[in-house]
Amino acid sequence: MIFVTVGTVMPFDRLVKAVDDAVAARIIVGPVFAQIGETDFRPRNMEYASVLGRGEFEGRVAEAEYMISHAGMGSIATALVHNKRLLVMPRRRRYREHVNDHQVATARKFGELGHVLVAYDVAELLLRLREIALFVPVPRISQADQVAARIRRFLDQPAV
Protein backbone atom coordinates (compact mmCIF):
# COMPACT_ATOMS: atom_id res chain seq x y z
CA MET A 1 0.00 0.00 0.00
CA ILE A 2 1.16 3.52 -0.79
CA PHE A 3 0.26 6.06 1.89
CA VAL A 4 -0.28 9.70 0.96
CA THR A 5 -0.51 12.31 3.69
CA VAL A 6 -0.84 16.07 3.51
CA GLY A 7 -1.11 16.77 7.22
CA THR A 8 -4.22 18.15 8.85
CA VAL A 9 -3.66 21.90 8.97
CA MET A 10 -4.26 22.92 5.35
CA PRO A 11 -5.47 21.17 2.20
CA PHE A 12 -2.95 20.32 -0.51
CA ASP A 13 -5.16 19.58 -3.50
CA ARG A 14 -2.31 19.97 -6.02
CA LEU A 15 -0.52 16.96 -4.53
CA VAL A 16 -3.64 14.86 -3.92
CA LYS A 17 -4.93 15.48 -7.46
CA ALA A 18 -1.52 14.66 -8.97
CA VAL A 19 -1.40 11.34 -7.11
CA ASP A 20 -5.03 10.57 -8.00
CA ASP A 21 -4.21 11.24 -11.67
CA ALA A 22 -1.07 9.06 -11.42
CA VAL A 23 -3.19 6.20 -10.09
CA ALA A 24 -5.65 6.64 -12.97
CA ALA A 25 -2.76 6.64 -15.47
CA ARG A 26 -1.29 3.53 -13.80
CA ILE A 27 1.96 5.33 -12.98
CA ILE A 28 1.20 4.21 -9.44
CA VAL A 29 0.07 0.60 -9.31
CA GLY A 30 -1.33 -0.99 -6.22
CA PRO A 31 -3.58 0.17 -3.45
CA VAL A 32 -3.22 3.80 -2.40
CA PHE A 33 -4.68 5.38 0.69
CA ALA A 34 -4.62 9.14 1.23
CA GLN A 35 -5.17 11.34 4.25
CA ILE A 36 -6.31 14.50 2.42
CA GLY A 37 -7.21 17.01 5.14
CA GLU A 38 -10.27 19.25 5.07
CA THR A 39 -10.86 20.02 1.40
CA ASP A 40 -13.54 20.03 -1.27
CA PHE A 41 -11.49 17.87 -3.66
CA ARG A 42 -12.45 14.19 -3.61
CA PRO A 43 -10.12 11.63 -5.21
CA ARG A 44 -11.76 9.16 -7.59
CA ASN A 45 -8.97 6.62 -7.96
CA MET A 46 -7.85 5.91 -4.40
CA GLU A 47 -9.29 5.43 -0.95
CA TYR A 48 -9.05 8.41 1.36
CA ALA A 49 -10.05 10.00 4.64
CA SER A 50 -9.98 13.65 5.61
CA VAL A 51 -8.32 13.06 8.97
CA LEU A 52 -7.02 9.90 10.66
CA GLY A 53 -6.74 9.22 14.36
CA ARG A 54 -3.22 8.66 15.64
CA GLY A 55 -3.59 4.87 15.82
CA GLU A 56 -4.96 4.55 12.29
CA PHE A 57 -2.30 6.95 10.98
CA GLU A 58 0.47 4.87 12.57
CA GLY A 59 -1.10 1.71 11.15
CA ARG A 60 -1.13 3.16 7.64
CA VAL A 61 2.51 4.18 7.99
CA ALA A 62 3.48 0.70 9.21
CA GLU A 63 1.60 -0.93 6.32
CA ALA A 64 2.99 1.41 3.63
CA GLU A 65 5.48 0.26 1.03
CA TYR A 66 6.37 3.94 0.69
CA MET A 67 4.88 7.35 1.45
CA ILE A 68 4.08 10.48 -0.54
CA SER A 69 3.71 13.69 1.42
CA HIS A 70 3.97 17.43 1.71
CA ALA A 71 7.34 18.54 3.11
CA GLY A 72 6.06 18.94 6.67
CA MET A 73 8.44 18.03 9.47
CA GLY A 74 5.92 15.69 11.10
CA SER A 75 5.54 13.60 7.94
CA ILE A 76 9.28 13.57 7.26
CA ALA A 77 10.11 12.60 10.85
CA THR A 78 7.49 9.85 10.81
CA ALA A 79 8.91 8.34 7.61
CA LEU A 80 12.47 8.49 8.96
CA VAL A 81 11.54 6.90 12.30
CA HIS A 82 9.72 4.07 10.49
CA ASN A 83 12.40 3.67 7.79
CA LYS A 84 9.92 4.40 5.00
CA ARG A 85 10.82 5.66 1.57
CA LEU A 86 9.31 9.12 1.21
CA LEU A 87 8.62 11.31 -1.79
CA VAL A 88 7.85 14.89 -0.78
CA MET A 89 6.41 17.80 -2.71
CA PRO A 90 6.58 21.08 -0.79
CA ARG A 91 3.58 23.32 -0.45
CA ARG A 92 4.13 26.64 -2.26
CA ARG A 93 3.13 30.13 -1.21
CA ARG A 94 2.41 31.16 -4.81
CA TYR A 95 -0.41 28.57 -4.94
CA ARG A 96 -1.69 29.72 -1.53
CA GLU A 97 -0.87 26.32 -0.06
CA HIS A 98 1.04 27.91 2.82
CA VAL A 99 1.94 31.32 4.20
CA ASN A 100 5.57 31.09 3.02
CA ASP A 101 7.94 28.70 1.24
CA HIS A 102 9.61 27.13 4.27
CA GLN A 103 8.67 23.65 3.00
CA VAL A 104 10.86 24.24 -0.08
CA ALA A 105 13.89 24.76 2.16
CA THR A 106 12.95 21.75 4.30
CA ALA A 107 12.55 19.52 1.24
CA ARG A 108 15.81 20.74 -0.27
CA LYS A 109 17.81 20.04 2.92
CA PHE A 110 16.37 16.57 3.55
CA GLY A 111 16.79 15.76 -0.16
CA GLU A 112 20.44 16.86 -0.10
CA LEU A 113 21.02 14.62 2.91
CA GLY A 114 19.53 11.68 0.99
CA HIS A 115 16.67 11.13 3.44
CA VAL A 116 13.83 11.81 0.95
CA LEU A 117 13.12 12.13 -2.74
CA VAL A 118 11.92 15.60 -3.68
CA ALA A 119 9.60 16.84 -6.40
CA TYR A 120 9.12 20.60 -6.63
CA ASP A 121 6.18 20.42 -9.04
CA VAL A 122 3.71 17.94 -10.52
CA ALA A 123 5.86 17.10 -13.57
CA GLU A 124 8.80 16.27 -11.32
CA LEU A 125 6.49 14.26 -9.04
CA LEU A 126 5.60 12.00 -11.96
CA LEU A 127 9.31 11.45 -12.67
CA ARG A 128 10.16 10.72 -9.03
CA LEU A 129 7.29 8.22 -8.79
CA ARG A 130 9.23 6.12 -11.29
CA GLU A 131 12.32 6.28 -9.02
CA ILE A 132 10.77 5.66 -5.61
CA ALA A 133 10.87 1.85 -5.85
CA LEU A 134 14.68 1.90 -6.08
CA PHE A 135 15.25 4.77 -3.65
CA VAL A 136 17.19 3.82 -0.52
CA PRO A 137 16.96 6.62 2.04
CA VAL A 138 20.04 7.50 4.05
CA PRO A 139 19.21 6.74 7.70
CA ARG A 140 19.04 9.79 9.93
CA ILE A 141 21.40 9.69 12.88
CA SER A 142 20.18 11.61 15.90
CA GLN A 143 22.62 14.19 17.22
CA ALA A 144 20.68 15.20 20.32
CA ASP A 145 23.84 15.56 22.44
CA GLN A 146 25.37 17.98 19.93
CA VAL A 147 22.17 20.02 19.73
CA ALA A 148 21.92 20.18 23.53
CA ALA A 149 25.57 21.30 23.75
CA ARG A 150 24.97 24.11 21.23
CA ILE A 151 21.92 25.28 23.18
CA ARG A 152 23.90 25.13 26.43
CA ARG A 153 26.73 27.25 24.91
CA PHE A 154 24.17 29.78 23.67
CA LEU A 155 22.47 30.03 27.04
CA ASP A 156 25.80 30.36 28.86
CA GLN A 157 26.81 33.41 26.81
CA PRO A 158 26.80 36.67 28.77
CA ALA A 159 23.87 38.98 28.05
CA VAL A 160 24.75 41.85 25.76
Side-chain angles (χ1 to χ4, degrees):
M1 184 267 296
I2 292 92
F3 181 44
V4 180
T5 179
V6 300
T8 58
V9 178
M10 303 172 82
F12 193 10
D13 292 351
R14 188 166 56 102
L15 175 60
V16 176
K17 184 176 182 339
V19 172
D20 195 49
D21 291 346
V23 173
R26 308 223 15 98
I27 294 168
I28 299 175
V29 180
V32 179
F33 186 88
Q35 178 269 310
I36 64 171
E38 298 297 334
T39 180
D40 292 331
F41 178 74
R42 297 291 179 244
R44 290 187 297 237
N45 302 294
M46 59 186 169
E47 289 186 61
Y48 65 90
S50 294
V51 179
L52 299 174
R54 183 154 190 84
E56 186 176 359
F57 185 90
E58 292 290 331
R60 296 286 181 177
V61 170
E63 184 183 342
E65 177 184 341
Y66 64 87
M67 295 171 59
I68 302 169
S69 177
H70 65 141
M73 281 306 304
S75 297
I76 292 171
T78 297
L80 290 172
V81 165
H82 292 278
N83 296 314
K84 295 295 177 175
R85 291 175 281 155
L86 176 62
L87 170 55
V88 299
M89 187 167 86
R91 296 173 187 270
R92 303 301 294 258
R93 180 177 181 265
R94 72 174 169 227
Y95 300 121
R96 296 187 175 137
E97 296 162 343
H98 223 304
V99 297
N100 60 35
D101 281 333
H102 72 277
Q103 285 196 1
V104 174
T106 300
R108 183 174 295 118
K109 185 63 176 180
F110 279 87
E112 287 170 356
L113 292 170
H115 298 313
V116 302
L117 277 181
V118 180
Y120 293 97
D121 58 37
V122 172
E124 196 171 5
L125 180 78
L126 298 176
L127 292 172
R128 298 288 175 262
L129 283 169
R130 298 178 193 281
E131 299 171 9
I132 190 80
L134 300 177
F135 176 64
V136 178
V138 173
R140 184 175 179 278
I141 300 169
S142 175
Q143 299 177 356
D145 291 343
Q146 292 176 17
V147 172
R150 288 177 64 191
I151 293 169
R152 189 175 308 110
R153 284 192 302 273
F154 174 78
L155 294 173
D156 288 344
Q157 292 178 4
V160 179

